[in-house]
């Protein structure tokens, strides 16, 4: 039985943080823990950038340095290698969003391929990742999902999108680096699911190179997975499943209400937990067919995964099971999993400060809606600061005692 509460070990979690970095994290999570401040701060940041006010230095010194690895792949390497000394891997995510032009999508594809090659050359990097709407307009994914008739121009556009996905997956296969396709809104996701299944059929014959994301706040994801599993068994390919709870809950519920259809989102946080844990358990129960990337900041789900692995005699370092959290968050989970010998990785956003800020703002907004998340982060950071102060006090006492003894002698 998994009985040791490893995630309470703050010394391991924050070993690499200087006192200055610890205090910065305390300040930022204190801010994020107040939704009203997050709302005001994000509005001011957006307007400041829009008006080209000189705020990039302030942004870089705070939220950017906390939640991003740097502006270039090379900038990220020192941090990546530092984390790897604690057996923690990294996943580079070029987090530039909101592009609309074909040349921008082509550039994004080339960037993803360059990251795949970079990962192949650096053992500290475990995966590559891409966002489907980062290499094709959201509207074209939406139209294909809704099965409307495309114009001739749209058909050509969709072919280009498919080819970009193919190029990324081909590069991943050639370089033996698994690639994760992000999950997005339900009204574009069917097209992404179908395309990623096609990539799995082609590139996952021996092992999982291509991973698709299952957002488990959707109540239909276990049935989707079971249906996919049947196809995989029948057609002889492996499944790569990145499982997360989800990132677009409010948007999904609002759209369903506005357009008069049943929401695809679970009715409660508890139902989402049941959905996530059910999908995760199904994956681990079928490890010979499904490789699992467990992307969660939920401690209970991580403990459950560890327990299932122990019960099924799955080795901690079995390459078919990975745990992951976002860079700058939940270090108490990531570093302690790595210390215990599990495959653990940080998803590390990077890119130009101005262009990565929208992604970082979205992450901050998401975290204000996760009940208890930032409060837990804060309590652990405070505990670590208290532990360090205790160590200093103890060391000072010991030093004084030594001096006193020397004087007596």
């Amino acid at each position: 039985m998994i009985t040791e509460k490893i995630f309470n070990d703050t010394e391991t979690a924050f070993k690499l943080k200087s006192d200055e970095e610890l205090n910065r994290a305390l300040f930022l999570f204190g801010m994020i823990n107040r939704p009203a401040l997050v709302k005001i701060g994000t509005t001011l940041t957006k307007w400041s950038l829009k008006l080209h006010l000189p705020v990039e230095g302030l942004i870089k010194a705070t939220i950017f340095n906390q939640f991003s690895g740097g502006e270039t792949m090379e900038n990220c390497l020192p941090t990546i290698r530092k984390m790897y000394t604690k057996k923690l891997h990294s996943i580079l995510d070029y987090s530039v969003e909101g592009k609309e032009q074909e040349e921008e999508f082509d550039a994004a594809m080339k960037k993803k391929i360059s990251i795949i090659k970079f990962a192949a050359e650096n053992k500290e990097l475990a995966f590559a990742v891409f966002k489907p709407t980062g290499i094709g307009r959201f509207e074209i994914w939406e139209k294909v999902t809704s099965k409307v008739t495309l114009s001739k121009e749209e058909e050509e556009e969709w072919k280009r999108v498919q080819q970009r996905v193919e190029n990324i997956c081909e590069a991943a296969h050639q370089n033996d680096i698994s690639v994760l396709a992000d999950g997005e809104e339900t009204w574009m996701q069917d097209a992404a699911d179908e395309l990623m299944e096609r990539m799995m059929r082609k590139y996952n014959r021996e092992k999982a190179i291509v991973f698709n994301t299952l957002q488990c706040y959707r109540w239909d994801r276990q049935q989707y997975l079971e249906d996919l599993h049947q196809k995989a068994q029948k057609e002889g390919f492996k499944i790569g499943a990145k499982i997360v709870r989800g990132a677009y809950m409010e948007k999904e519920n609002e759209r369903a209400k506005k357009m008069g259809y049943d929401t695809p989102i679970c009715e409660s946080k508890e139902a989402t937990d049941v959905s996530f844990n059910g999908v995760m358990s199904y994956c681990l129960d079928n490890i010979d067919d499904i490789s699992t990337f467990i992307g969660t900041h939920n401690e209970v789900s991580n403990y459950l995964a560890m327990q299932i692995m122990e019960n099924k005699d799955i080795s901690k370092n079995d390459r078919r099971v990975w745990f992951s959290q976002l860079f700058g968050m939940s270090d108490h989970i990531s570093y302690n999993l790595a210390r215990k010998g599990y495959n653990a990785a940080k998803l590390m956003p990077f890119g130009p400060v101005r262009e990565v800020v929208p992604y970082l703002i979205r992450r901050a907004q998401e975290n204000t809606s996760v009940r208890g998340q930032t409060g837990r982060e804060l309590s652990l950071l405070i505990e670590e600061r208290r532990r360090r102060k205790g160590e200093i006090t103890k060391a000072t006492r010991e030093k004084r005692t030594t001096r006193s003894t020397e004087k007596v002698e």
Side-chain angles (χ1 to χ4, degrees):
M1 289 287 293
I2 302 292
T3 56
E4 182 189 0
K5 297 299 182 183
I6 68 170
F7 301 145
N8 293 332
D9 181 353
T10 62
E11 183 177 4
T12 294
F14 305 117
K15 188 78 172 177
L16 298 181
K17 281 193 186 301
S18 67
D19 289 344
E20 182 182 350
E21 290 168 332
L22 189 72
N23 288 330
R24 182 187 67 199
L26 271 164
F27 169 75
L28 287 171
F29 280 106
M31 296 284 287
I32 293 171
N33 202 35
R34 302 174 183 178
L37 286 179
V38 171
K39 189 173 182 180
I40 293 168
T42 54
T43 300
L44 288 174
T45 301
K46 287 177 181 177
W47 275 105
S48 297
L49 290 173
K50 193 172 183 179
L51 295 171
H52 297 283
L53 298 178
V55 295
E56 288 188 30
L58 177 61
I59 292 169
K60 188 171 183 178
T62 53
I63 188 171
F64 184 86
N65 282 345
Q66 176 68 26
F67 300 112
S68 171
E71 296 192 66
T72 67
M73 291 186 289
E74 291 73 20
N75 287 161
C76 296
L77 265 181
T79 302
I80 288 169
R81 288 173 176 161
K82 188 178 177 183
M83 292 196 302
Y84 195 68
T85 64
K86 303 302 178 185
K87 302 179 181 178
L88 185 59
H89 292 76
S90 299
I91 304 165
L92 282 174
D93 182 10
Y94 188 64
S95 303
V96 175
E97 301 180 348
K99 303 302 182 183
E100 290 288 334
Q101 304 301 317
E102 289 291 290
E103 56 269 23
E104 293 174 323
F105 296 135
D106 285 336
M109 175 198 70
K110 290 174 183 175
K111 188 69 175 179
K112 300 302 180 184
I113 292 173
S114 72
I115 293 171
I116 289 168
K117 293 176 179 177
F118 190 72
E121 296 167 357
N122 292 277
K123 63 183 178 181
E124 303 90 346
L125 297 169
F127 290 81
V129 60
F130 76 95
K131 186 176 175 67
T133 55
I135 54 171
R137 285 189 311 123
F138 187 98
E139 289 75 16
I140 196 69
W141 291 98
E142 182 180 8
K143 285 191 173 185
V144 174
T145 292
S146 62
K147 308 241 186 289
V148 301
T149 302
L150 302 179
S151 67
K152 185 176 179 180
E153 291 77 13
E154 288 170 337
E155 286 179 358
E156 292 301 315
E157 181 184 0
W158 178 236
K159 286 179 182 176
R160 290 192 295 273
V161 173
Q162 294 176 86
Q163 188 59 57
R164 291 185 194 111
V165 172
E166 175 88 47
N167 292 345
I168 290 170
C169 294
E170 172 67 24
H173 185 260
Q174 287 180 352
N175 288 275
D176 196 26
I177 293 292
S178 292
V179 63
L180 310 163
D182 282 342
E184 303 195 54
E185 291 88 339
T186 53
W187 53 99
M188 65 72 61
Q189 190 61 48
D190 284 356
D193 287 345
E194 290 171 10
L195 185 50
M196 298 321 298
E197 285 177 31
R198 198 192 316 161
M199 295 299 102
M200 286 186 204
R201 285 188 182 91
K202 184 169 183 178
Y203 296 109
N204 289 10
R205 307 308 294 189
E206 302 297 327
K207 65 178 183 179
I209 290 290
V210 177
F211 282 66
N212 194 23
T213 296
L214 281 70
Q215 298 193 97
C216 297
Y217 65 177
R218 290 180 57 172
W219 49 260
D220 64 348
R221 289 299 85 180
Q222 180 146 350
Q223 187 60 58
Y224 166 78
L225 177 61
E226 291 177 12
D227 292 343
L228 179 60
H229 188 202
Q230 286 186 0
K231 294 177 190 176
Q233 288 178 311
K234 183 179 179 181
E235 300 174 34
F237 66 91
K238 305 294 184 183
I239 295 171
K242 174 188 171 186
I243 56 172
V244 300
R245 276 171 168 76
Y248 306 99
M249 180 176 69
E250 292 178 3
K251 188 188 292 188
E252 291 280 2
N253 284 330
E254 287 172 5
R255 186 177 191 269
K257 184 177 180 180
K258 181 179 179 180
M259 300 186 70
Y261 61 83
D262 291 337
T263 179
I265 305 302
C266 293
E267 62 183 0
S268 65
K269 168 69 165 61
E270 291 71 25
T272 296
D273 291 341
V274 169
S275 173
F276 181 94
N277 292 337
V279 169
M280 181 177 71
S281 299
Y282 186 90
C283 290
L284 295 174
D285 284 344
N286 294 280
I287 192 171
D288 289 336
D289 300 325
I290 305 174
S291 290
T292 315
F293 183 96
I294 303 167
T296 181
H297 295 242
N298 184 285
E299 293 179 31
V300 174
S301 292
N302 281 293
Y303 279 127
L304 176 60
M306 294 159 64
Q307 187 63 64
I308 294 171
M309 290 176 72
E310 183 178 282
N311 293 346
K312 293 190 164 295
D313 199 27
I314 300 171
S315 172
K316 289 180 180 179
N317 63 352
D318 190 309
R319 302 292 287 185
R320 295 170 295 182
V321 183
W322 282 81
F323 296 82
S324 183
Q325 290 76 43
L326 293 168
F327 180 75
M329 295 176 56
S330 296
D331 288 345
H332 63 294
I333 296 176
S334 309
Y335 282 95
N336 281 301
L337 282 169
R339 182 176 66 88
K340 287 294 184 179
Y342 293 93
N343 296 317
K346 283 290 197 186
L347 182 68
M348 182 182 286
F350 79 99
V353 175
R354 182 175 290 274
E355 296 196 53
V356 172
V357 165
Y359 170 91
L360 298 177
I361 286 174
R362 181 161 60 82
R363 288 299 187 191
Q365 290 171 329
E366 287 166 14
N367 279 289
T368 62
S369 66
V370 180
R371 188 173 60 207
Q373 170 112 6
T374 50
R376 173 65 166 155
E377 297 266 5
L378 264 175
S379 67
L380 290 165
L381 289 162
I382 292 169
E383 177 61 31
E384 175 59 12
R385 184 167 65 177
R386 188 180 296 125
R387 187 195 68 79
R388 292 185 185 187
K389 285 182 178 178
E391 276 194 349
I392 292 171
T393 302
K394 182 181 177 183
T396 302
R397 282 201 211 98
E398 289 175 350
K399 195 172 182 180
R400 286 173 180 168
T401 301
T402 300
R403 285 175 179 171
S404 298
T405 304
E406 289 171 351
K407 285 179 181 179
V408 170
E409 292 174 351

